Amino acid sequence: MKKKLLALAVAAALPMVSQAATADVTIYGKIHTSIDYVNPDAKGADSIYDVTSRASRLGFKGSEDLGDGLKLIWKMESQINTADGGTYWKGRNAYIGLAGGWGTFLYGRHDTPMKMSTGKLDLFGDELADYNATAGFVDIRANDAIAYVTPSFSGLTLVGAVVPDADYDGTGDLGGAYSVAAMYSNGGLFLAAAWEQLDDLLGGANVDHWRIGAGFDMGNFHIGAVYADQGNITDSNNLQISGAMKFGNNKVKAMWAQIDPDSGSKLNAWAIGLDHNFSKRTKMYVQYADSEAGLQSTNPSGDQSGFSFGMVHKF
């Protein structure tokens, strides 16, 4: 009797396995968790030890060949908290679209072109010294994004997006926000420039900013810089300069950043770190960061310094 039930269960599962195998669905993700020690420089403030989930995620993506060089593309990705009992699932990029020799069209929830433009220049991305915290760069993942990405023209790629504002102020206008970027990559050289207007997304008029970035790789050495004029968003000019050197399975990296407000004193930050790659999918790192604008593992406010030990596994 047990053998008959097992045979029926296997037979019932076979159609589902067949469908999953032919649907071209990829399951992927990343577990990134760190142990942090942060020391606020304010008199009387307590040092903090924390285990932090750093944009750990689980995603599904796929495509379907529609013929004549056209394919459907889609992605659904969620952020997962691997450290504590906070919000366990959080929306990341999720979209559907079409791709072909003419480029890529997609719509849904997605990083704006400005965020896309310089992400590869953040050597400490999602870590304690992430440039959104230490350098104060403003990156947006927008709901209702409608985006187009051109094919590469000898290394030049253009990206544009418009965001209707129904989810932000309820009017439903098509132009709640605009974001455009140009990225050029050739050999070891990378250049980027971006501008976006975020009026309705951030609840105010004349909310726009622009950013430029550059990076160069030569053998085991990398150097890069990002500069932004953030207009009325933060009323500041922001700069980060970074560099790295690889040796074997290791990489030493460093960065210096400055936030220059229209009024008030300049805020400086710096960080140094060591990455060790056990494999293409698994990394361990240690780093030290000092920022007058605050660090990512705690509520960013005031001068803070700290150490972080982290492990990252991609699947």
Side-chain angles (χ1 to χ4, degrees):
M1 183 64 180
K2 290 183 179 180
K3 290 183 178 180
K4 289 182 179 180
L5 290 174
L6 178 61
L8 289 172
V10 171
L14 284 176
M16 298 175 62
V17 173
S18 177
Q19 290 177 10
T22 59
D24 194 18
V25 177
T26 299
I27 302 173
Y28 69 95
K30 180 169 74 171
I31 299 175
H32 180 182
T33 310
S34 66
I35 302 172
D36 304 326
Y37 167 77
V38 176
N39 179 32
D41 287 350
K43 185 176 181 180
D46 294 330
S47 299
I48 299 168
Y49 291 91
D50 194 20
V51 176
T52 306
S53 179
R54 297 191 171 279
S56 299
R57 66 200 66 172
L58 175 65
F60 304 85
K61 62 182 178 180
S63 64
E64 182 182 8
D65 188 350
L66 302 178
D68 296 324
L70 185 67
K71 65 178 180 180
L72 179 136
I73 58 171
W74 64 271
K75 176 189 279 190
M76 295 186 296
E77 184 177 295
S78 294
Q79 186 165 310
I80 299 175
N81 193 324
T82 58
D84 55 48
T87 303
Y88 199 72
W89 295 92
K90 182 179 178 181
R92 292 179 60 86
N93 289 346
Y95 59 82
I96 192 167
L98 295 170
W102 45 269
T104 301
F105 166 77
L106 60 88
Y107 59 99
R109 178 173 168 83
H110 201 276
D111 298 342
T112 66
M114 175 169 284
K115 182 178 180 182
M116 296 166 60
S117 68
T118 58
K120 67 184 297 180
L121 298 175
D122 186 6
L123 300 184
F124 294 84
D126 293 332
E127 299 170 4
L128 185 69
D130 184 295
Y131 74 7
N132 297 115
T134 54
F137 295 126
V138 175
D139 284 330
I140 301 292
R141 177 178 291 119
N143 298 333
D144 300 341
I146 303 170
Y148 169 68
V149 183
T150 71
S152 176
F153 301 106
S154 300
L156 176 64
T157 302
L158 306 176
V159 190
V162 60
V163 181
D165 57 10
D167 283 358
Y168 299 94
D169 68 3
T171 65
D173 294 335
L174 179 62
Y178 301 93
S179 183
V180 293
M183 294 165 281
Y184 176 76
S185 182
N186 190 356
L189 178 65
F190 175 77
L191 302 172
W195 171 86
E196 65 185 16
Q197 174 269 110
L198 300 171
D199 293 1
D200 293 336
L201 270 66
L202 298 182
N206 301 318
V207 180
D208 63 345
H209 58 145
W210 59 266
R211 181 185 302 177
I212 55 175
F216 185 70
D217 294 299
M218 183 176 63
N220 293 325
F221 295 91
H222 166 85
I223 188 169
V226 182
Y227 175 83
D229 182 332
Q230 301 197 155
N232 293 338
I233 297 178
T234 60
D235 293 319
S236 65
N237 298 319
N238 303 56
L239 171 67
Q240 186 197 62
I241 300 172
S242 60
M245 181 183 70
K246 297 179 181 178
F247 55 100
N249 293 331
N250 305 293
K251 179 168 69 174
V252 175
K253 58 189 182 182
M255 76 85 190
W256 173 84
Q258 184 175 85
I259 301 173
D260 184 7
D262 293 345
S263 61
S265 302
K266 296 178 180 179
L267 302 174
N268 297 312
W270 64 276
I272 187 168
L274 173 65
D275 296 352
H276 175 74
N277 294 303
F278 292 101
S279 68
K280 291 183 178 180
R281 297 189 300 158
T282 302
K283 179 181 85 170
M284 180 178 70
Y285 66 84
V286 61
Q287 64 189 242
Y288 174 82
D290 188 302
S291 173
E292 294 176 340
L295 293 171
Q296 197 178 38
S297 64
T298 61
N299 184 25
S301 59
D303 194 352
Q304 297 176 334
S305 59
F307 290 92
S308 182
F309 166 81
M311 297 191 70
V312 184
H313 176 71
K314 300 177 182 179
F315 60 90

